Structure formats: structure tokens, C-alpha cells
Amino acid sequence: EPEVTQTPSHQVTQMGQEVILRCVPISNHLYFYWYRQILGQKVEFLVSFYNNEISEKSEIFDDQFSVERPDGSNFTLKIRSTKLEDSAMYFCASSPDRANTQYFGPGTRLTVL
Amino acid sequence: AQKITQTQPGMFVQEKEAVTLDCTYDTSDPSYGLFWYKQPSSGEMIFLIYQGSYDQQNATEGRYSLNFQKARKSANLVISASQLGDSAMYFCAMRERNSNSGYALNFGKGTSLLVTP
């Protein structure tokens, strides 16, 4: 069964450093999403992406964040200058269309020291 | 205001028993979807079941069923014949179709379920 994959599974970085989280969505899906989950809290929406552009973003997704689909398979989330409060689990998700179920990847646990 | 409310932070159930996890939601959008996801201790988010606001029947997927009461704005998850592997966090989520929220999922805070032998 096709699934969303994410790399790395864990990332530890120093405050102020740039990180890139990578995702490979399910191959025939057209909509891509990033969510985050701070430890012990609920899952929060960051951004959705369709047709090579952002279709929606939350208040969390400020200028420090960017997303890109550099090729036909990868979907990346970049945090330019990480802060301590960026420590969280970051989930990528994809769906075949925007009204359909979103399937989540296994997540990347980001720790900012 | 909370869009999704899960009032049970933790639940216990004995193996082979059924358990209901509560979820209430708040929306003025007539078109919306409700989802349940399971998050085991390993951290991944596993899709379980979906209910559309216009669906006439309650959704079922194997041992999972959704008790959808539209007038009460509740979408409770029922797990029948619980198994030890059902121990996990369970999240209710809603997707509204309106110009403000687009199609982002709005999650509740989750319920931690522990299945005991």
C-alpha cells in the first residue's frame, strides 16, 4: 500500500540554524500539507500546497518557514532560523484532492537546542 | 473557540470490550468532514475513519464505527472488541469547506486509550 515517507525521522539542530524536512507524498496525490505537533499538544496545521504554490497557511507559518516541491516527488519544509519553540514533531500529509482524506507520514521529530 | 472538543483526556477499556471516544465539533459550514486518527507511541498518525456531513449512514471500517449525531454535533468513535494494540492516542479532526479555513484539518486535543488484559 502506498504511503507518505519522511526524512529524517529525527533532527537535532542548534538555535538559529536552518533545517530542511523532507517528504515524499503518495505518488498520485495532488495536495500536500505540513502539520506540527508540539510534545503533548494537539496537531496544528501549518500549510497546504497545490499546483506548485501555497493554497493556504496558518498564523504559525511565518516568514521563517517555506515550502517547496523541488522535483516531481519531494516536498520540503524549510525553517530558516530555528527557535527553541520550533521543537516539535512535523508531519507531512497528502491527499488525492482537497476534499479527500489526508494521509500522514511517520513524522520528523525536530529538537532545537 | 475550540472547533473540536475531546473531553476525555484518558480512557481505560478491558480487552475484547467496546469503547466509545467522544468528539464534539463546532461549525456553521453545512459541508464538512470528520476524521479519526490513531497515534501509537511510535508517533505516526494513522487514518481510521471518515464521516461526511451529508452522509446518511454512520461510517464503519472494520472494528471502528462512527456514531454521527449531526443535530448534537457529535462524532464519537466506537471501537468494538478492543485489542491491546488499540492502546494509543486518538484524535478527532474536522475539515470545513469555507473560504477562511480551506481544507486544513482542525484537530482536537486527543484521548489516550489504554487497553488492559
Side-chain angles (χ1 to χ4, degrees), chain A residues 19-69:
Chain A
V19 294
I20 298 176
L21 310 183
R22 291 182 167 79
C23 168
V24 179
I26 296 173
S27 63
N28 62 344
H29 286 188
L30 300 177
Y31 286 80
F32 315 118
Y33 312 84
W34 283 101
Y35 291 83
R36 79 169 186 194
Q37 184 183 31
I38 295 171
L39 186 63
Q41 298 187 22
K42 68 176 186 176
V43 178
E44 301 171 293
F45 169 74
L46 292 177
V47 66
S48 60
F49 192 85
Y50 169 71
N51 201 25
N52 284 320
E53 61 182 24
I54 291 173
S55 51
E56 184 191 4
K57 60 183 181 179
S58 72
E59 293 175 352
I60 302 168
F61 194 87
D62 61 22
D63 292 342
Q64 292 297 314
F65 292 90
S66 62
V67 289
E68 194 178 34
R69 190 156 161 82

Coordinates of all heavy atoms in Angstrom, one line a residue, chain A residues 19-69:
Chain A
V19 N 17.0 24.3 8.9 CA 16.7 22.9 8.7 C 15.8 22.7 7.5 O 14.9 23.6 7.2 CB 16.1 22.2 10.0 CG1 17.1 22.2 11.1 CG2 14.8 22.9 10.4
I20 N 15.9 21.6 6.9 CA 15.0 21.2 5.8 C 14.5 19.8 6.1 O 15.2 18.9 6.3 CB 15.7 21.2 4.4 CG1 16.2 22.6 4.1 CG2 14.8 20.7 3.3 CD1 17.0 22.6 2.8
L21 N 13.2 19.7 6.2 CA 12.5 18.5 6.4 C 11.9 18.0 5.1 O 11.3 18.8 4.4 CB 11.4 18.6 7.5 CG 11.8 19.4 8.8 CD1 10.6 19.4 9.7 CD2 13.0 18.7 9.4
R22 N 12.1 16.7 4.8 CA 11.7 16.2 3.5 C 10.6 15.2 3.6 O 10.5 14.5 4.6 CB 13.0 15.6 2.9 CG 14.0 16.6 2.5 CD 15.2 15.9 1.8 NE 16.0 17.0 1.1 CZ 16.9 17.7 1.8 NH1 17.1 17.5 3.1 NH2 17.6 18.6 1.1
C23 N 9.8 15.2 2.6 CA 8.6 14.3 2.5 C 8.5 13.8 1.1 O 8.8 14.6 0.1 CB 7.4 15.2 2.9 SG 5.8 14.4 2.5
V24 N 8.1 12.6 0.9 CA 7.7 12.1 -0.4 C 6.2 11.7 -0.3 O 5.9 10.7 0.4 CB 8.5 10.9 -0.8 CG1 8.1 10.3 -2.2 CG2 10.0 11.2 -0.9
P25 N 5.3 12.5 -0.9 CA 3.9 12.2 -0.8 C 3.6 10.9 -1.6 O 4.4 10.4 -2.4 CB 3.2 13.4 -1.4 CG 4.3 14.5 -1.4 CD 5.6 13.8 -1.5
I26 N 2.4 10.5 -1.4 CA 1.9 9.3 -2.2 C 1.8 9.8 -3.7 O 1.3 10.9 -4.0 CB 0.5 8.9 -1.7 CG1 0.7 8.3 -0.3 CG2 -0.1 7.8 -2.6 CD1 -0.6 7.9 0.4
S27 N 2.2 8.9 -4.6 CA 2.6 9.4 -6.0 C 1.4 10.0 -6.7 O 1.7 10.9 -7.5 CB 3.2 8.2 -6.7 OG 2.2 7.2 -6.9
N28 N 0.2 9.6 -6.6 CA -0.8 10.2 -7.4 C -1.6 11.3 -6.7 O -2.7 11.7 -7.2 CB -1.8 9.1 -7.9 CG -2.5 8.4 -6.8 OD1 -2.1 8.5 -5.6 ND2 -3.5 7.6 -7.1
H29 N -1.1 11.7 -5.5 CA -1.8 12.7 -4.8 C -1.3 14.1 -5.3 O -0.2 14.3 -5.8 CB -1.4 12.6 -3.3 CG -2.2 11.5 -2.7 ND1 -2.2 11.2 -1.3 CD2 -2.9 10.5 -3.2 CE1 -2.9 10.2 -1.0 NE2 -3.4 9.7 -2.2
L30 N -2.3 15.1 -5.2 CA -2.0 16.4 -5.7 C -1.9 17.5 -4.7 O -1.4 18.6 -4.9 CB -3.2 16.8 -6.7 CG -3.4 15.8 -7.9 CD1 -4.6 16.2 -8.7 CD2 -2.1 15.8 -8.8
Y31 N -2.4 17.2 -3.5 CA -2.4 18.2 -2.4 C -1.5 17.7 -1.3 O -1.5 16.5 -0.9 CB -3.8 18.4 -1.8 CG -4.7 19.2 -2.7 CD1 -5.4 18.5 -3.8 CD2 -5.0 20.5 -2.5 CE1 -6.2 19.3 -4.6 CE2 -5.8 21.2 -3.4 CZ -6.4 20.6 -4.4 OH -7.2 21.3 -5.3
F32 N -0.7 18.7 -0.8 CA 0.3 18.3 0.2 C 0.2 19.3 1.4 O -0.2 20.5 1.2 CB 1.7 18.4 -0.4 CG 1.8 17.7 -1.8 CD1 2.2 18.5 -2.9 CD2 1.5 16.4 -1.9 CE1 2.2 17.9 -4.1 CE2 1.6 15.8 -3.2 CZ 1.9 16.5 -4.3
Y33 N 0.5 18.8 2.5 CA 0.3 19.6 3.8 C 1.5 19.3 4.7 O 2.1 18.3 4.7 CB -1.0 19.1 4.5 CG -2.2 19.0 3.6 CD1 -2.4 17.8 2.8 CD2 -3.1 20.0 3.5 CE1 -3.5 17.7 2.0 CE2 -4.2 19.8 2.7 CZ -4.4 18.7 1.9 OH -5.5 18.6 1.1
W34 N 1.7 20.4 5.6 CA 2.6 20.2 6.7 C 1.8 20.6 8.0 O 1.1 21.6 8.0 CB 3.8 21.1 6.6 CG 4.9 20.6 5.7 CD1 5.1 21.0 4.4 CD2 5.8 19.5 5.9 NE1 6.2 20.3 3.9 CE2 6.6 19.4 4.8 CE3 6.1 18.7 7.1 CZ2 7.7 18.4 4.7 CZ3 7.1 17.8 7.0 CH2 7.9 17.7 5.8
Y35 N 1.9 19.7 9.0 CA 1.4 20.0 10.3 C 2.5 19.8 11.3 O 3.5 19.2 11.0 CB 0.3 18.9 10.6 CG -1.0 19.0 9.8 CD1 -1.0 18.4 8.5 CD2 -2.1 19.6 10.3 CE1 -2.2 18.5 7.8 CE2 -3.3 19.7 9.6 CZ -3.3 19.1 8.3 OH -4.5 19.2 7.6
R36 N 2.3 20.4 12.5 CA 3.2 20.1 13.5 C 2.5 19.8 14.8 O 1.3 20.2 15.0 CB 4.1 21.4 13.8 CG 3.5 22.5 14.6 CD 4.5 23.5 15.0 NE 3.9 24.5 15.9 CZ 4.4 25.6 16.2 NH1 5.6 26.0 15.7 NH2 3.8 26.4 17.0
Q37 N 3.2 19.1 15.7 CA 2.7 18.7 17.0 C 3.7 18.9 18.0 O 4.7 18.1 18.1 CB 2.2 17.2 17.0 CG 1.5 16.8 18.3 CD 1.1 15.3 18.2 OE1 1.8 14.5 17.6 NE2 0.1 15.0 18.9
I38 N 3.6 20.0 18.8 CA 4.4 20.2 20.0 C 4.1 19.1 21.0 O 3.0 18.7 21.2 CB 4.2 21.6 20.5 CG1 4.7 22.6 19.5 CG2 5.0 21.8 21.8 CD1 4.4 24.1 19.8
L39 N 5.2 18.6 21.7 CA 5.0 17.5 22.6 C 3.9 17.7 23.5 O 3.8 18.7 24.3 CB 6.3 17.3 23.4 CG 6.4 16.1 24.2 CD1 6.3 14.8 23.4 CD2 7.7 16.1 25.1
G40 N 3.0 16.7 23.5 CA 1.8 16.7 24.5 C 0.7 17.6 24.0 O -0.3 17.7 24.8
Q41 N 0.8 18.2 22.9 CA -0.3 19.1 22.4 C -1.0 18.5 21.2 O -0.6 17.4 20.7 CB 0.3 20.5 22.2 CG 0.8 21.1 23.4 CD 1.2 22.5 23.2 OE1 0.8 23.2 22.3 NE2 2.1 23.0 24.1
K42 N -1.9 19.2 20.7 CA -2.7 18.7 19.5 C -1.9 19.1 18.2 O -1.0 19.9 18.2 CB -4.1 19.3 19.5 CG -4.1 20.8 19.2 CD -5.6 21.3 19.1 CE -5.7 22.7 18.7 NZ -7.1 23.1 18.4
V43 N -2.3 18.4 17.2 CA -1.7 18.6 15.9 C -2.2 19.9 15.3 O -3.4 20.2 15.3 CB -2.1 17.4 14.9 CG1 -1.5 17.7 13.6 CG2 -1.6 16.1 15.5
E44 N -1.3 20.7 14.8 CA -1.7 22.1 14.2 C -1.3 22.2 12.8 O -0.2 21.8 12.4 CB -0.9 23.2 15.0 CG -1.2 23.2 16.5 CD -0.2 24.2 17.2 OE1 1.0 23.9 17.2 OE2 -0.7 25.2 17.6
F45 N -2.2 22.7 12.0 CA -2.0 22.9 10.6 C -0.9 24.0 10.3 O -1.0 25.1 11.0 CB -3.3 23.3 9.9 CG -3.2 23.8 8.5 CD1 -2.9 22.9 7.5 CD2 -3.3 25.1 8.2 CE1 -2.8 23.3 6.1 CE2 -3.3 25.6 6.9 CZ -3.0 24.7 5.9
L46 N 0.0 23.8 9.4 CA 0.9 24.8 9.0 C 0.6 25.4 7.6 O 0.4 26.6 7.4 CB 2.3 24.3 9.0 CG 3.0 23.9 10.3 CD1 4.4 23.3 10.1 CD2 3.0 25.1 11.3
V47 N 0.6 24.5 6.6 CA 0.5 25.0 5.2 C -0.1 23.9 4.3 O 0.1 22.7 4.6 CB 1.9 25.4 4.8 CG1 2.8 24.3 4.7 CG2 1.8 26.2 3.5
S48 N -0.8 24.3 3.3 CA -1.1 23.4 2.2 C -0.6 23.9 0.9 O -0.4 25.1 0.7 CB -2.7 23.2 2.2 OG -3.3 24.4 1.9
F49 N -0.4 22.9 0.0 CA 0.4 23.2 -1.2 C -0.3 22.5 -2.4 O -0.6 21.3 -2.3 CB 1.8 22.7 -1.0 CG 2.8 23.2 -2.1 CD1 3.4 24.4 -2.0 CD2 3.1 22.4 -3.1 CE1 4.4 24.8 -2.9 CE2 4.1 22.7 -4.1 CZ 4.7 24.0 -3.9
Y50 N -0.5 23.2 -3.5 CA -1.2 22.6 -4.6 C -0.7 23.3 -5.9 O -0.6 24.5 -5.9 CB -2.7 22.7 -4.5 CG -3.4 22.3 -5.8 CD1 -3.5 21.0 -6.2 CD2 -4.1 23.3 -6.5 CE1 -4.1 20.6 -7.4 CE2 -4.7 22.9 -7.7 CZ -4.8 21.6 -8.1 OH -5.4 21.3 -9.3
N51 N -0.4 22.5 -6.9 CA -0.1 23.1 -8.2 C 1.1 24.1 -8.0 O 1.1 25.2 -8.6 CB -1.3 23.8 -8.8 CG -1.2 24.0 -10.3 OD1 -0.5 23.3 -10.9 ND2 -1.8 25.0 -10.8
N52 N 2.1 23.6 -7.3 CA 3.3 24.4 -7.1 C 3.2 25.7 -6.4 O 4.1 26.6 -6.5 CB 4.1 24.5 -8.4 CG 4.8 23.3 -8.8 OD1 5.3 22.5 -8.0 ND2 4.7 23.0 -10.1
E53 N 2.1 25.9 -5.6 CA 2.0 27.1 -4.8 C 1.3 26.8 -3.5 O 0.5 25.9 -3.4 CB 1.4 28.2 -5.6 CG 0.0 28.0 -6.1 CD -0.5 29.1 -6.9 OE1 0.3 29.9 -7.5 OE2 -1.8 29.3 -7.0
I54 N 1.5 27.7 -2.6 CA 0.8 27.6 -1.3 C -0.7 27.9 -1.5 O -1.0 29.0 -2.1 CB 1.4 28.5 -0.2 CG1 2.8 28.0 0.1 CG2 0.5 28.6 1.0 CD1 3.6 29.0 1.1
S55 N -1.6 27.0 -1.1 CA -3.0 27.3 -1.2 C -3.6 27.9 0.1 O -4.6 28.6 0.1 CB -3.8 26.1 -1.6 OG -3.5 25.0 -0.8
E56 N -3.0 27.6 1.2 CA -3.4 28.1 2.5 C -2.3 28.0 3.5 O -1.5 27.0 3.4 CB -4.6 27.2 3.0 CG -5.3 27.7 4.2 CD -6.3 26.7 4.8 OE1 -6.4 25.6 4.2 OE2 -6.9 27.1 5.8
K57 N -2.3 28.9 4.4 CA -1.3 28.8 5.5 C -1.9 29.3 6.8 O -2.8 30.2 6.8 CB 0.0 29.5 5.2 CG -0.2 31.0 4.9 CD 1.2 31.6 4.5 CE 1.0 33.1 4.2 NZ 2.3 33.7 3.9
S58 N -1.3 28.8 7.9 CA -1.8 29.3 9.2 C -1.0 30.4 9.7 O 0.1 30.8 9.1 CB -1.8 28.1 10.2 OG -0.5 27.8 10.6
E59 N -1.4 30.9 10.9 CA -0.6 32.0 11.5 C 0.8 31.6 11.9 O 1.7 32.4 12.1 CB -1.4 32.5 12.7 CG -2.7 33.2 12.4 CD -3.5 33.6 13.6 OE1 -3.1 33.2 14.7 OE2 -4.5 34.3 13.4
I60 N 0.9 30.3 12.2 CA 2.2 29.7 12.6 C 3.2 29.9 11.5 O 4.4 30.1 11.7 CB 2.0 28.3 13.0 CG1 1.0 28.1 14.1 CG2 3.4 27.7 13.5 CD1 0.6 26.7 14.4
F61 N 2.7 29.7 10.3 CA 3.6 29.7 9.1 C 4.0 31.1 8.7 O 3.5 31.7 7.8 CB 2.9 29.0 7.9 CG 3.7 28.6 6.8 CD1 4.4 27.4 6.8 CD2 3.9 29.4 5.7 CE1 5.2 27.0 5.7 CE2 4.7 29.1 4.7 CZ 5.4 27.8 4.7
D62 N 5.0 31.6 9.5 CA 5.5 32.9 9.2 C 6.7 32.9 8.3 O 6.9 31.9 7.6 CB 5.9 33.6 10.6 CG 7.0 32.9 11.3 OD1 7.7 32.1 10.7 OD2 7.1 33.1 12.5
D63 N 7.4 34.1 8.2 CA 8.4 34.2 7.2 C 9.6 33.3 7.4 O 10.5 33.2 6.5 CB 8.9 35.7 7.2 CG 7.9 36.6 6.6 OD1 6.9 36.1 6.0 OD2 8.0 37.8 6.9
Q64 N 9.7 32.7 8.6 CA 10.8 31.7 8.8 C 10.6 30.4 8.1 O 11.5 29.6 8.0 CB 10.9 31.4 10.3 CG 11.3 32.6 11.1 CD 12.7 33.1 10.8 OE1 13.7 32.3 10.6 NE2 12.9 34.4 10.5
F65 N 9.3 30.2 7.7 CA 9.0 28.9 7.0 C 8.9 29.1 5.5 O 8.4 30.1 5.1 CB 7.7 28.4 7.6 CG 7.7 27.9 9.0 CD1 7.4 28.8 10.0 CD2 8.0 26.6 9.4 CE1 7.4 28.4 11.4 CE2 8.0 26.2 10.7 CZ 7.7 27.1 11.7
S66 N 9.2 28.0 4.8 CA 8.9 28.0 3.4 C 8.8 26.5 3.0 O 9.2 25.6 3.6 CB 10.0 28.7 2.6 OG 11.3 28.0 2.7
V67 N 8.0 26.4 1.9 CA 7.8 25.0 1.4 C 8.2 25.0 -0.1 O 8.1 26.1 -0.8 CB 6.4 24.5 1.5 CG1 6.1 24.2 3.0 CG2 5.4 25.5 1.0
E68 N 8.5 23.8 -0.6 CA 9.0 23.7 -2.0 C 8.8 22.3 -2.5 O 8.8 21.4 -1.7 CB 10.5 24.1 -2.1 CG 11.0 24.3 -3.4 CD 12.5 24.7 -3.4 OE1 13.2 24.1 -2.6 OE2 12.9 25.5 -4.3
R69 N 8.5 22.2 -3.7 CA 8.4 20.9 -4.4 C 9.5 20.9 -5.4 O 9.3 21.3 -6.6 CB 7.1 20.7 -5.0 CG 6.8 19.3 -5.4 CD 5.3 19.0 -5.5 NE 5.0 17.8 -6.3 CZ 5.1 16.6 -5.9 NH1 5.5 16.3 -4.7 NH2 4.7 15.6 -6.8

